[in-house]
Amino acid sequence: MTRIIGERVTLRGFRSDEIDGLLSISEGWPDDDGIHWGSRDRDELRRKVEASGTWTDVAALDMAIEADGRLVGEIQARQPRGGLPPGVFELGIEIFASTDRGTGLGGAALRSMVSHLFEEEQAHRVQLSTDVDNEGMRRCAESVGFTYEGVNRSFMPTANGPRDYAMFGMTRGDFEEVRARWI
């Protein structure tokens, strides 16, 4: 099982005793896109938790983000066969509580996962996208060293119609340049 220890966070598999908490985390959130924890049934979530911390058969690495002994979010690396070229990975990240957003935990988790992908998984490109209106995530991505590459129009389906998403990328060359300032 993969465990990545970073400067402020540890990325690890989810534990089975975290399922109830994961289900309750998003109870008050709007569920426009249908992908939040609260929209998952218990069996689906249990399968996801059991597979977390290892690469799954659908080429995803789901990890819990832990800070100061608390579960604060999740991060996922994806490299779907036939969906992305070899060596290209896509990231998804969510910091659960608004009180933990903007504190640097998301950036610390991104730096840890990006380092793992370039150093251990032979990545030559890592990318992520976020809603064009998610200014916090956009600032976080750029502060880590991702480059804004443009907008994927009508990318994310929601109950209110498709949303545009901003795309960010980091190449191996970018990583070599930015990791020196992470230390």
Side-chain angles (χ1 to χ4, degrees):
M1 181 169 292
T2 303
R3 184 176 185 86
I4 305 166
I5 299 173
E7 78 254 20
R8 294 189 57 205
V9 298
T10 297
L11 308 182
R12 59 163 175 81
F14 288 97
R15 297 187 310 258
S16 60
D17 64 339
E18 294 172 324
I19 290 175
D20 289 335
L22 290 168
L23 285 170
S24 68
I25 282 170
S26 62
E27 283 179 356
W29 293 349
D31 197 13
D32 291 343
D33 56 15
I35 60 171
H36 291 299
W37 289 106
S39 68
R40 301 176 194 277
D41 68 31
R42 182 173 278 289
D43 290 336
E44 178 186 355
L45 182 56
R46 184 175 311 285
R47 286 189 296 276
K48 180 179 175 82
V49 164
E50 288 170 355
S52 68
T54 60
W55 284 99
T56 66
D57 58 350
V58 294
L61 176 63
D62 289 307
M63 305 288 284
I65 304 170
E66 181 181 293
D68 300 321
R70 296 181 306 116
L71 175 64
V72 298
E74 70 168 320
I75 189 165
Q76 182 185 71
R78 299 177 289 272
Q79 211 295 308
R81 292 173 203 88
L84 292 172
V88 176
F89 294 83
E90 186 166 86
L91 297 180
I93 184 170
E94 184 163 5
I95 301 298
F96 297 140
S98 60
T99 54
D100 288 323
R101 294 185 196 126
T103 64
L105 296 175
L110 283 174
R111 285 187 296 277
S112 293
M113 181 62 84
V114 164
S115 294
H116 174 78
L117 294 173
F118 281 113
E119 294 169 358
E120 304 297 327
E121 304 291 342
Q122 293 73 51
H124 65 83
R125 175 186 168 83
V126 177
Q127 62 189 35
L128 63 84
S129 61
T130 188
D131 190 284
V132 293
D133 292 334
N134 189 342
E135 291 297 326
M137 186 63 225
R138 292 176 70 147
R139 280 191 307 276
C140 180
E142 289 177 338
S143 75
V144 168
F146 282 87
T147 300
Y148 172 73
E149 296 181 330
V151 173
N152 295 322
R153 297 177 303 128
S154 294
F155 179 76
M156 184 62 68
T158 72
N160 298 321
R163 298 279 304 161
D164 293 349
Y165 262 47
M167 173 64 79
F168 295 83
M170 183 184 295
T171 66
R172 178 168 290 282
D174 298 336
F175 171 69
E176 298 296 334
E177 289 180 27
V178 299
R179 76 172 162 178
R181 65 173 200 218
W182 294 350
I183 301 170

